[in-house]
Amino acid sequence: MSKYLVTGGAGFIGSNYIRFLLRKYPEAVVVNLDKLTYAGNLENLKDVENDHRYRFVKGDICDEALVNDLVVEADIVVNFAAESHVDRSIGAPDDFIKTDIFGAFALLEAARKNHIDRFIQISTDEVYGSIDQGSFTEDHPLMPSSPYSASKTGADRIAFSYFVTYGVPVQITRCSNNFGPYHYPEKLIPLFVTNALEDKALPIYGDGKNVRDWIYVEDHCEGIDFVLRNGELGEVYNIGGGNEKTNMEITDYILAKLEKPATLKEFVKDRPGHDQRYSLDCSKLHAMGWGPKHSFEQAMDKTLQWYIDHPDWWKKIKSGEYLDYYKNQYSSASL
Ligand code: NAD
Ligand code: TDX
């Protein structure tokens, strides 16, 4: 029996991961610890909430006593919990430092004090910073450039130090940009898809030439599972989709598929410190036998269909706090 403690499981990737675990492993027991910040949404797990193998605990990963109680019961800890949006980290870095760094530390301390089989720290490709040409391997120096990516780098390296210093069975994954169902509509793809569906403008930062590598969220979940079962302790693994696209290419793809006019494109003020390009060299995991199963087009089409089929999910989110935030952040009248 595998007893998982998944943190941040009410968010985008965490909820997809919990669904993946319960589907793939009948013997899995999953506790989901989530603070339910603006990004946490129990609607994301409606279909599994009555599964007897699943339990939700509302709480903060910075709460050392609570975290300790939950780690005692777990074999495997997978830490997704984080403040995750770069733009918000520019406006208000505080919670990023608290959750992404101190929260990871609290979890690692609990893992140090109690026996566990595995601690997976979900890191990000953003820890490497931007690269104009070529791709980052796992041993490339880390040069994060936003408060978000710097906080994630702190957690990434603290996790590594707990392996080296205390022998905590840590593994670290650094994934590229995910997309798929339940993606909070403040991030590029869900924001642009839902805006286009509502005939609202798509706010493109700068010249739209920044490049991201996109991976379907299910492929990321499988990658984490693969690392857990086949990876070495103390190692870092890049997980990428192999789909590098400019933001303009993503925008054009969405507009074409949804049969919406190019006039919805709106160039807005650039993100301060906007990383130009992310690119991962995933040969380490590929050599071990992992690779993404979905093509970009297949996965995008599934994702577009999901947003078309679930307007209640995203309309509720977009009508509330989200709007106030964006009104303060950007002048785009169309939001
Ligand atoms: P998300 O913002 O959708 O979800 C984050 C979840 O963490 C939410 O449910 C939130 O309520 C919870 N949370 C926040 N602070 C918490 C705290 N103090 N205690 C407990 N729960 C807390 O984020 P996501 O996109 O699903 O990302 C999940 C993880 O994956 C993050 O660690 C992120 O850095 C990493 N990551 C994301 C991407 C991506 O493209 N989205 C890519 C690589 C890595
Ligand atoms: O309105 C927008 N317009 C725009 O041009 C938004 C929200 C974004 N962008 C651009 C900025 C980026 O170049 O699109 C690109 C992607 O932006 P985000 O969706 O905010 O993602 P990014 O900043 O790349 O970070 C994401 O990938 C790595 C996740 O949010 C992180 O949590 C993850 O670690």
Side-chain angles (χ1 to χ4, degrees):
M1 171 115 54
S2 297
K3 291 185 274 183
Y4 289 82
L5 173 60
V6 176
T7 68
F12 163 45
I13 308 174
S15 61
N16 277 284
Y17 180 70
I18 289 175
R19 190 173 297 102
F20 163 86
L21 279 181
L22 293 171
R23 191 173 61 228
K24 182 157 183 189
Y25 298 110
E27 75 285 6
V29 172
V30 180
V31 173
N32 172 15
L33 170 62
D34 198 296
K35 188 178 172 180
L36 297 184
T37 66
Y38 79 94
N41 185 351
L42 291 177
E43 296 279 319
N44 299 2
L45 289 162
K46 203 86 194 132
D47 51 335
V48 300
E49 69 182 6
N50 295 321
D51 190 317
H52 67 280
R53 299 170 298 153
Y54 168 75
R55 180 160 67 100
F56 173 67
V57 177
K58 183 174 186 312
D60 191 328
I61 59 165
C62 299
D63 179 340
E64 293 162 85
L66 172 64
V67 158
N68 195 69
D69 288 349
L70 295 176
V71 169
V72 167
E73 295 170 12
D75 307 320
I76 298 167
V77 177
V78 187
N79 182 27
F80 290 96
E83 288 295 334
S84 70
H85 191 37
V86 174
D87 293 327
R88 288 180 189 255
S89 87
I90 295 165
D94 318 38
D95 285 344
F96 288 76
I97 311 295
K98 283 182 200 140
T99 290
D100 300 12
I101 302 180
F102 187 80
F105 159 73
L107 282 163
L108 285 158
E109 268 296 287
R112 178 166 81 88
K113 291 178 190 148
N114 302 284
H115 171 83
I116 58 162
D117 294 333
R118 200 60 57 88
F119 187 107
I120 308 249
Q121 172 61 20
I122 305 298
S123 190
T124 166
D125 64 353
E126 299 201 16
V127 298
Y128 298 113
S130 188
I131 190 167
D132 288 337
Q133 283 177 345
S135 303
F136 292 118
T137 55
E138 286 83 352
D139 52 10
H140 198 279
L142 306 184
M143 289 289 282
S145 43
S146 72
Y148 162 70
S149 53
S151 305
K152 292 295 292 183
T153 306
D156 179 312
R157 291 298 83 195
I158 294 167
F160 180 69
S161 80
Y162 270 59
F163 167 74
V164 175
T165 311
Y166 306 116
V168 175
V170 166
Q171 292 174 313
I172 296 152
T173 60
R174 296 183 185 148
C175 192
S176 58
N177 284 56
N178 286 226
F179 66 100
Y182 303 104
H183 201 180
Y184 196 87
E186 67 184 349
K187 309 278 168 64
L188 179 76
I189 288 182
L191 176 67
F192 280 21
V193 170
T194 57
N195 275 14
L197 287 171
E198 292 187 302
D199 297 308
K200 290 182 177 167
L202 315 188
I204 299 165
Y205 299 165
D207 59 9
K209 291 186 180 152
N210 303 67
V211 173
R212 298 292 182 266
D213 169 40
W214 294 96
I215 183 170
Y216 191 49
V217 64
E218 269 180 35
D219 285 326
H220 183 193
C221 294
E222 291 204 355
I224 296 165
D225 191 50
F226 185 90
V227 166
L228 184 53
R229 273 146 228 288
N230 302 286
E232 302 282 328
L233 298 183
E235 288 290 313
V236 175
Y237 295 95
N238 286 343
I239 302 179
N243 302 302
E244 286 184 33
K245 311 270 180 214
T246 62
N247 295 334
M248 192 57 79
E249 285 172 318
I250 295 287
T251 308
D252 289 335
Y253 190 94
I254 291 169
L255 290 174
K257 283 285 175 178
L258 296 179
E259 298 180 352
K260 297 290 182 180
T263 48
L264 287 182
K265 291 187 210 175
E266 185 183 47
F267 289 93
V268 298
K269 198 175 78 180
D270 205 357
R271 171 186 283 175
H274 195 171
D275 284 336
Q276 184 58 39
R277 175 173 173 258
Y278 299 139
S279 179
L280 288 178
D281 179 327
C282 299
S283 47
K284 184 171 172 181
L285 263 193
H286 291 170
M288 290 163 60
W290 177 84
K293 290 185 181 148
H294 295 81
S295 73
F296 176 77
E297 289 73 18
Q298 246 181 353
M300 267 302 272
D301 293 353
K302 277 169 87 161
T303 302
L304 289 170
Q305 196 58 50
W306 190 87
Y307 284 93
I308 290 167
D309 293 343
H310 294 82
D312 291 351
W313 182 86
W314 54 264
K315 282 191 174 167
K316 204 187 286 177
I317 295 171
K318 289 185 83 166
S319 63
E321 177 259 4
Y322 157 91
L323 264 188
D324 296 337
Y325 171 76
Y326 269 93
K327 273 183 199 145
N328 292 334
Q329 194 78 357
Y330 297 105
S331 54
S332 174
S334 48
L335 279 167

